[in-house]
Amino acid sequence: WGLVDDRGRVILAPEYAAIADGGRGHLGYRVGKYWGLADSLGQRITPPNYAQVYRGPEHWVLAQTDRWALLDSAGNEIYGPALTKVHLCATHYAFADKGNTWGVLDRQGQEIIPFRFAHIAPIGDSLILAQKGTYYRWFDVSGELKNAHKIE
């Protein structure tokens, strides 16, 4: 498979096993059984090393081998692959699971809320609720603890 634009110019040479929508104006390309990500001009962002890869909101790139990794917009790994689940909740943070413990990562892959919670959920645009056992904690999006309660 290959790809040409509306003027007939080659964007991706016809050398791929498959091409798919990579999200956010990007292209997924497959070589053998592995996927990589290319921009809309056909420039490779990631090598074809992943079982799945796609472009998320803003700068996020998710790539999966046996676990998920977060990549920057240039395809460099910023976290992982150590994540079993990832939810991109905003342009500045992502909820992630490292095998039954949830935490929150910032744009650079730094933990802003540590991986020690059973559940995490956004509360509007500015708060994050984290739960472990009967304890609930509210954090702002920078990871600062705002409130904590024990629910009996």
Side-chain angles (χ1 to χ4, degrees):
W1 289 92
L3 189 66
V4 296
D5 67 12
D6 58 354
R7 294 185 177 145
R9 292 180 296 205
V10 174
I11 295 173
L12 289 175
E15 58 189 45
Y16 300 103
I19 295 176
D21 181 5
R24 308 273 188 230
H26 288 74
L27 306 166
Y29 66 90
R30 194 178 86 210
V31 176
K33 64 179 185 173
Y34 294 104
W35 288 89
L37 191 68
D39 66 18
S40 60
L41 300 175
Q43 297 298 309
R44 289 183 178 192
I45 296 170
T46 68
N49 294 339
Y50 303 103
Q52 297 181 61
V53 63
Y54 71 94
R55 177 82 179 183
E58 296 292 321
H59 67 287
W60 299 106
V61 176
L62 289 175
Q64 182 191 27
T65 52
D66 59 332
R67 292 186 174 253
W68 288 96
L70 288 174
L71 311 177
D72 65 17
S73 58
N76 301 309
E77 192 173 283
I78 59 174
Y79 197 94
L83 307 169
T84 54
K85 297 177 189 162
V86 179
H87 298 286
L88 304 176
C89 297
T91 59
H92 53 279
Y93 64 93
F95 297 159
D97 176 15
K98 280 175 51 174
N100 299 322
T101 58
W102 287 85
V104 179
L105 301 171
D106 69 9
R107 294 176 74 124
Q108 290 76 38
Q110 301 298 312
E111 293 180 19
I112 58 174
I113 298 176
F115 286 88
R116 63 175 180 225
F117 296 98
H119 301 283
I120 286 187
I123 306 294
D125 291 332
S126 60
L127 290 175
I128 299 166
L129 175 65
Q131 179 259 327
K132 182 177 181 181
T134 58
Y135 289 92
Y136 290 80
R137 292 177 175 85
W138 286 263
F139 297 89
D140 67 15
V141 294
S142 72
E144 182 180 336
L145 180 65
K146 293 298 185 183
N147 204 337
H149 291 285
K150 181 175 182 178
I151 309 287
E152 300 289 336

